[in-house]
Amino acid sequence: MALLSVADALAAVLAHAHPLASETVPLADAVGRVLTADLAALRTQPPADVSAMDGYAVRAADVTVPSALRVIGEIAAGRPFDGAIGPGEAARIFTGAVMPAGADTVVIQEVTTRDGDTVAIQRAETAGRHVRRKGFDFREGEVLLPKGFCLTPRGIALAAALNHATVPVHRRPRVAVLATGDELVEPGTPPAPGQIVHSNGIALAALARGERAEAVDFGIVPDRLDATIAALRRARALDVDVLVTSGGASVGDYDFVHQACAAEGMTLSFWKVALRPGRPLIYGRLGGMHVLGLPGNPVSAYVCAVLFLIPLLRRLAGRSDLSLRPESAVLGSPVRANDDRADYMRATLRELSDGTKVATPFPAQDSSLLVPLARADCLLLREPNAAAADAGTPCVILNLQF
Ligand code: AMP
Ligand code: MG
């Protein structure tokens, strides 16, 4: 199979990915989720004219400086007042309290002097001052959060104020993660000779959870066809939307992911992508389950997950911002001419006083190196066959702080 470009490979993944079904969830569980229907205001806010300050509710026409008004009552937030303000009268009022009938203005308490039932006012106010009108924020029936909106904490605040306790959102993608490799042991385990501590499962599950997916980590699967097939079946039995494997995706004698997927009847979309790090990269579908077979090297697995798993999960979750947004920067050091694979170099990012971002690739770019991956701020994108470039040349990056 010929090497696919990253863009074509991503298009192939997304071609089969559709937003998941709708479910109704409590607002507290809805951050980061995408609405499946328009949300209209179920009420008007404020529901009546209310005071924006602590002071006195008055009739603006009565306030000539100096003037003294008779205080006929007190109105606090949540405790409306039955009476009406007549000529020469005022009511003590606090922030958020409903304006009494007859009054049209609030005089702030700082410009008043109280003496028993009388309040002296030292400053005139224009009519309507310090009053928040009924419906100032929104009116019942207005659609304020549209279908397709990804709920932020601010969006949740608005949904709550509109009086929605629950919201209809796309279901969260369910993801299973597994790592293949006889050389792997779980973190915290003493490795036997020839063994290494594995890191891909934890990283991939964390990435998926960061995208609000539900992730289950199957742990380590031995390099055997039967064990790999058993893991695929387990994922299907759990009805996960996406199975992400790491390692065993190439054509070595101990690489069983492709063979196991084929044996189970997977519809293969691609197996090789023209990118570095991470050429062996499998994508296909097994029944309704998306299978993403990532390379084993930790940097390859992570970069491929950023490029393909994140957009896939976002699409399933109903989002429309799928890939990380490319940003402009300049090179902080020279780079060599590139070959025919797109290269995603690990780089640091610093900002000059004029706002220019400077991306400096780490000298060592081997796909096994976790230290530069962990220290990188961004991936510096080098297009296939890009020419050598000097420091200061404009470049494109993907910020890893997302
Ligand atoms: P593979 O893709 O299985 O050929 O693995 C490529 C390289 O990545 C080998 O050096 C593996 O030991 C290493 N590797 C595979 N899986 C993991 C993992 N989960 N964590 C860390 N390194 C891994
Ligand atoms: Mg392996």
Side-chain angles (χ1 to χ4, degrees):
M1 213 179 274
L3 288 192
L4 266 187
S5 72
V6 171
D8 287 349
L10 181 59
V13 172
L14 296 177
H16 301 287
H18 307 290
L20 298 169
S22 182
E23 65 180 7
T24 299
V25 302
L27 267 189
D29 296 335
V31 181
R33 313 279 295 270
V34 176
L35 290 173
T36 57
D38 289 344
L39 279 198
L42 302 178
R43 53 182 288 276
T44 295
Q45 174 65 19
D49 293 354
V50 295
S51 177
M53 299 295 275
D54 296 327
Y56 291 86
V58 301
R59 297 148 49 101
D62 291 353
V63 183
T64 48
V65 174
S67 64
L69 303 176
R70 195 162 66 84
V71 180
I72 62 163
E74 182 184 284
I75 320 167
R79 298 180 191 179
F81 177 69
D82 289 338
I85 307 300
E89 292 177 342
R92 180 77 169 112
I93 196 163
F94 300 96
T95 306
V98 174
M99 288 293 286
D104 55 16
T105 302
V106 171
V107 175
I108 60 172
Q109 67 189 41
E110 288 83 348
V111 299
T112 66
T113 313
R114 181 75 177 263
D115 181 13
D117 280 352
T118 303
V119 61
I121 296 172
Q122 287 102 38
R123 197 172 79 192
E125 289 291 8
T126 50
R129 189 91 172 103
H130 304 310
V131 176
R132 294 187 177 128
R133 293 275 170 218
K134 174 179 178 176
F136 183 34
D137 202 359
F138 53 81
R139 291 197 168 269
E140 185 175 344
E142 274 184 82
V143 171
L144 294 160
L145 292 165
K147 176 180 153 107
F149 183 83
C150 184
L151 288 161
T152 55
R154 287 174 292 142
I156 300 267
L158 180 55
L162 302 182
N163 209 13
H164 293 275
T166 62
V167 283
V169 291
H170 291 284
R171 177 167 76 63
R172 294 168 66 181
R174 283 191 290 271
V175 180
V177 170
L178 65 84
T180 69
D182 287 342
E183 75 280 33
L184 307 178
V185 295
E186 293 291 353
T189 315
Q195 289 192 308
I196 59 166
V197 177
H198 99 118
S199 56
N200 287 346
I202 200 86
L204 296 169
L207 259 186
R209 290 187 189 117
E211 295 300 321
R212 302 284 285 126
E214 287 170 21
V216 11
D217 190 350
F218 285 1
I220 298 160
V221 173
D223 288 322
R224 289 195 328 262
L225 181 60
D226 62 339
T228 312
I229 288 177
L232 292 179
R233 290 185 181 170
R234 190 178 156 206
R236 290 192 73 184
L238 283 177
D239 209 18
V240 301
D241 302 297
V242 182
L243 172 65
V244 186
T245 68
S246 82
S250 197
V251 292
D253 289 352
Y254 295 92
D255 293 330
F256 290 109
V257 172
H258 178 260
Q259 209 181 318
C261 288
E264 289 296 285
M266 182 174 80
T267 312
L268 181 72
S269 282
F270 58 79
W271 191 0
K272 305 262 149 78
V273 178
L275 93 149
R276 184 184 314 99
R279 178 176 17 204
L281 175 66
I282 299 169
Y283 170 73
R285 275 152 300 114
L286 205 45
M289 182 172 80
H290 300 265
V291 180
L292 194 57
L294 304 176
N297 270 308
V299 182
S300 310
Y302 194 86
V303 170
C304 290
V306 165
L307 297 178
F308 299 99
L309 177 62
I310 287 181
L312 171 59
L313 294 178
R314 289 184 180 181
R315 168 63 64 78
L316 295 177
R319 280 174 63 168
S320 46
D321 55 327
L322 302 182
S323 292
L324 303 195
R325 212 156 33 85
E327 294 171 25
S328 300
V330 298
L331 290 173
S333 61
V335 290
R336 284 199 292 264
N338 193 18
D339 62 10
D340 58 353
R341 290 155 70 185
D343 199 352
Y344 293 82
M345 302 177 83
R346 278 67 68 208
T348 57
L349 206 55
R350 70 194 157 88
E351 203 169 313
L352 303 181
S353 52
D354 67 357
T356 306
K357 288 181 177 148
V358 181
T360 308
F362 286 94
Q365 291 285 329
D366 189 88
S367 62
S368 66
L369 300 177
L370 268 173
V371 173
L373 177 68
R375 289 185 181 161
D377 302 306
C378 67
L379 297 173
L380 164 61
L381 172 54
R382 300 275 293 143
E383 293 292 351
N385 306 310
D390 288 331
T393 307
C395 63
V396 172
I397 59 146
L398 297 177
N399 201 317
L400 289 174
Q401 264 88 53
F402 54 88

